[in-house]
Every structure is written in structure tokens, then in C-alpha cells.
Amino acid sequence: MLRLKTELAETSSQDEFARWAKVRRTLDRKVVELESLSTSPFPLSPLPFPPSPFPADAGIDASIATHRATFDSRASSVRWLLTTGLRIFLQFWFSKQPIFWLPEGWVPGVVEWGLAFPRAPRGSVSIQVWSFAVGQVVSVLMVVVAWAYAQVVLMRRKKAVPTAAAEKKKV
């Protein structure tokens, strides 16, 4: 499919319309085929399963869908408990204990109160404020890493395009 996309991009729709239309039809057909595979009950299977000749197997598809929905629901619940649920529990359990103490007079009194919010001793940083700050730093780092990755991929594509065009001219 990638080969078809690059071939379509390299073909001029005005100068070589017949070739462009043929590649476009082939690409469209492959896209429809791929979409039908991704909506099948077995999305990881490389080959589509032929329809069963036995009408009694229709209940098996419904049974598989039911089991899959049950598994997805339970997996989502376990994932929530291990991430968000654990964080909420820790914030509740350690809400009165400081994560660390600030040096005295380092920040104004209102800021001390805000950093200790809701129940940690004044002059300390509470687990709620600390987990919020860590979450914000992680989200910013994720954006920076995603941006850097996109830049690297873009640079590699820019380097790969001239080489493909040069090889085409050689042949």
C-alpha cells in the first residue's frame, strides 16, 4: 500500500492520467480491503476468514463479541484501578503527611497554604500538589518527545525523497 501511495504521489494526474487513475483505483481497492479487515472480529489476523458454511456458527460470532466486550470491560477496570484508583487511594491515605518540607520563609504564607492543600502541615508540599505537578511535567515532556519524534521522522522523509527520485532517473 505504501508503494502504491508513493507511486500515486510520483505520477502526475494531468500528464499521465491513465496510469494515475489505474494506481488510484488499485489504492482505493486496497484501502477498502484493509478497512474490511480492521472491522473483522479478528483484527490481528493477516488473512480474512471466509464466512462459515454452517449457519449454526452465527452464534459463535456473537459469543466471541460478548467475551471480547467482557474482557475489554474488565481490562479497563483493572487498568483504571492500577493507575487512577491507586493514585486516588495514595492521595487519600497520605493526605496529612508532607512529601517534603519547604525552607522557612522561602515562599509567602498564602503559597505555603496552597502547597500544603488540602490537609498537609503548613510549610510542606502535599501529595495532591506533588502528584498534580508531576502529572503536568509528564504531559509537557510527552508533547516535547512527540514533537521531537515528528521532527526526526520528517527529516528522514526529506532525505529519503530525493534519493528515490534520483534512483528513478537512473533507471
Side-chain angles (χ1 to χ4, degrees), residues 98-122:
I99 296 295
F100 60 87
W101 290 92
L102 298 171
E104 193 171 330
W106 198 44
V107 292
V110 176
V111 176
E112 277 185 355
W113 175 83
L115 291 174
F117 185 79
R119 296 175 7 182
R122 196 170 179 155

Side-chain angles (χ1 to χ4, degrees), residues 64-80:
I64 290 173
T66 303
H67 286 297
R68 183 176 182 167
T70 304
F71 174 79
D72 287 346
S73 173
R74 288 181 182 166
S76 295
S77 298
V78 168
R79 187 179 61 230
W80 185 89

Side-chain angles (χ1 to χ4, degrees), residues 76-91:
S76 295
S77 298
V78 168
R79 187 179 61 230
W80 185 89
L81 281 173
L82 292 175
T83 56
T84 307
L86 181 63
R87 182 179 52 86
I88 290 171
F89 172 75
L90 289 174
Q91 286 181 355

